[in-house]
Amino acid sequence: METIKIQGTEDTPKVILDKEKEMMEISGRSLPEDVASFYDPILTWLDEYAESPNPKTVFNFKLVYFNTASSKLLLDVLMKLEEIHEAGNEVLIRWHYPEDDEDMEEAGEEYADIVDVPFEQVPYSA
């Protein structure tokens, strides 16, 4: 399966989707100009991954900022992970947030309430 590695920029997050190395991460800032076209390959990759997922999937979100348009697409990513979980596979979402950033912590809590997937909140020192 093809690996996706996208370097983060000021407006787009860093993305690593590597089934073989069991690394799945979206990190940094997410406010791409065309949010749909940025996240489309990620969602397509997850569709393909869902056909034959690893025994355990750990997906790390380590965002410091995302805009409203990105929040919808992040939810789409989480819904794909929920589908993988509902199909009987082990999935863990790790939501990393700066320990002094209540907004990002609350965003993780809200997502955790929406999707039915094991969800771990992980504060870190910025």
Side-chain angles (χ1 to χ4, degrees):
M1 186 170 178
E2 191 175 324
T3 297
I4 292 181
K5 283 188 181 176
I6 302 170
Q7 281 300 323
T9 68
E10 194 63 25
D11 296 334
T12 59
K14 176 182 173 184
V15 178
I16 300 172
L17 299 173
D18 188 333
K19 179 181 178 184
E20 203 170 293
K21 292 182 180 170
E22 301 182 356
M23 290 181 60
M24 295 172 207
E25 177 182 312
I26 297 176
S27 60
R29 296 165 47 90
S30 182
L31 49 153
E33 195 168 306
D34 185 348
V35 69
S37 68
F38 182 83
Y39 279 93
D40 190 52
I42 296 166
L43 295 169
T44 300
W45 189 93
L46 282 168
D47 280 338
E48 189 180 330
Y49 176 78
E51 292 173 13
S52 178
N54 290 335
K56 182 174 184 179
T57 300
V58 178
F59 201 109
N60 289 286
F61 290 87
K62 196 172 182 180
L63 294 160
V64 292
Y65 178 80
F66 58 87
N67 62 9
T68 305
S70 293
S71 69
K72 162 73 174 86
L73 276 298
L74 291 170
L75 182 58
D76 288 348
V77 170
L78 291 165
M79 300 293 262
K80 298 273 184 201
L81 294 167
E82 184 178 45
E83 288 172 19
I84 294 168
H85 179 65
E86 285 175 345
N89 302 291
E90 191 174 350
V91 177
L92 173 64
I93 295 168
R94 286 203 175 114
W95 185 268
H96 303 261
Y97 62 92
E99 63 185 1
D100 60 348
D101 189 339
E102 289 179 20
D103 291 338
M104 200 53 72
E105 181 181 5
E106 286 175 14
E109 289 169 358
E110 288 172 14
Y111 282 133
D113 286 343
I114 295 171
V115 293
D116 186 19
V117 180
F119 212 101
E120 198 174 287
Q121 296 268 61
V122 186
Y124 67 90
S125 300

